[in-house]
Amino acid sequence: LRSCSPGRARRTNASRRACLVARFGDIYAQERLDAETLLRTYISDIEMVQRIIYIAAVESFHEAKMAYRQFKIRVRETLSLGHSGPESLEDTVLDYIVRHEDLYDVQASVNEVIRSMNINPKISFPPEIDFIVISTLIRELCRVAFSMQTLVPPLDIAFGTDGELFSETKYHRSIDSDFTAALVAYHVWPALMENDIVIVKGEAVTKR
């Protein structure tokens, strides 16, 4: 803790936020497409492939947020024993987590995501293959989602359901969408949110 300066996490908040938003975009543009290409070698149905990737993103954020909460509780319990200021305990905890994000057990989150996906009724996979084939995508999503929890305010993804009314502010329509359809058939990528405001649009398929 000697290397931690007071309020460092808050002072670097804007630059860290910009990097994480950009990284989220990079994952959409690169790791997502790599995962899609990989899955297409096992699954011919593009809708199933895209559903798998979307659910991987949703589950990755869920598990990373859970891991962050548990990590923060442990750090707060440890630091509260010797905390004396001048910064608040909460700022000290946040500084510590930002400086020691490498202590996050990302593999444990990846394992939980894959376990959740294996029992998700909306997606299926050939029995001889495992969702571990897209673990690179899951790992990168877990990392960025965990780091997004250290921001003030934290970033999160939008909740999406099949059949919801398509929102121009939340999503881009996929190229194979029916552009006159009002309802979302399924989601391709989640929107990124800050305080319930969309900062990066997701992608959805609309069909009649």
Side-chain angles (χ1 to χ4, degrees):
L1 268 180
R2 282 194 300 272
S3 63
C4 277
S5 56
R8 181 182 183 277
R10 290 184 185 274
R11 289 203 314 277
T12 61
N13 194 72
S15 59
R16 288 187 298 112
R17 179 187 181 279
C19 287
L20 289 168
V21 170
R23 181 69 189 117
F24 184 75
D26 290 344
I27 293 172
Y28 169 77
Q30 187 62 58
E31 281 89 348
R32 177 186 69 92
L33 292 180
D34 291 345
E36 191 174 288
T37 301
L38 192 57
L39 289 173
R40 289 298 295 274
T41 63
Y42 305 108
I43 304 169
S44 59
D45 181 3
I46 184 61
E47 178 178 331
M48 181 57 68
V49 166
Q50 291 179 331
R51 281 182 181 273
I52 287 169
I53 290 170
Y54 175 76
I55 287 169
V58 171
E59 292 293 346
S60 295
F61 265 78
H62 173 72
E63 290 300 334
K65 287 190 295 179
M66 295 268 287
Y68 178 80
R69 282 196 288 269
Q70 292 161 4
F71 190 76
K72 189 175 182 181
I73 287 167
R74 291 197 301 273
V75 170
R76 187 187 291 116
E77 285 174 350
T78 303
L79 297 186
S80 64
L81 300 174
H83 178 71
S84 58
E87 69 277 10
S88 70
L89 177 59
E90 279 305 299
D91 277 358
T92 305
V93 168
L94 196 58
D95 284 350
Y96 182 89
I97 295 172
V98 168
R99 292 295 289 265
H100 298 88
E101 281 187 56
D102 56 314
L103 297 178
Y104 165 43
D105 186 356
V106 68
Q107 187 57 49
S109 290
V110 172
N111 295 343
E112 280 302 306
V113 170
I114 292 170
R115 187 191 64 76
S116 297
M117 291 177 71
N118 281 328
I119 58 172
N120 190 307
K122 284 188 178 179
I123 52 176
S124 59
F125 215 35
E128 67 274 12
I129 309 301
D130 192 273
F131 287 119
I132 199 165
V133 297
I134 57 166
S135 59
T136 299
L137 171 69
I138 295 168
R139 181 174 289 104
E140 292 309 304
L141 282 165
C142 285
R143 280 200 181 114
V144 80
F146 185 91
S147 296
M148 282 175 173
Q149 305 316 299
T150 69
L151 299 174
V152 183
L155 302 183
D156 200 359
I157 53 172
F159 178 74
T161 56
D162 292 353
E164 70 178 319
L165 194 64
F166 178 78
S167 167
E168 293 280 359
T169 57
K170 262 189 192 177
Y171 301 106
H172 297 289
R173 277 186 169 92
S174 286
I175 195 79
D176 54 345
S177 291
D178 177 343
F179 280 69
T180 63
L183 301 180
V184 172
Y186 64 93
H187 299 80
V188 174
W189 194 249
L192 191 63
M193 312 284 285
E194 183 180 66
N195 281 341
D196 296 324
I197 296 167
V198 177
I199 57 171
V200 179
K201 283 186 180 184
E203 185 180 338
V205 175
T206 55
K207 288 180 181 175
R208 287 191 180 278

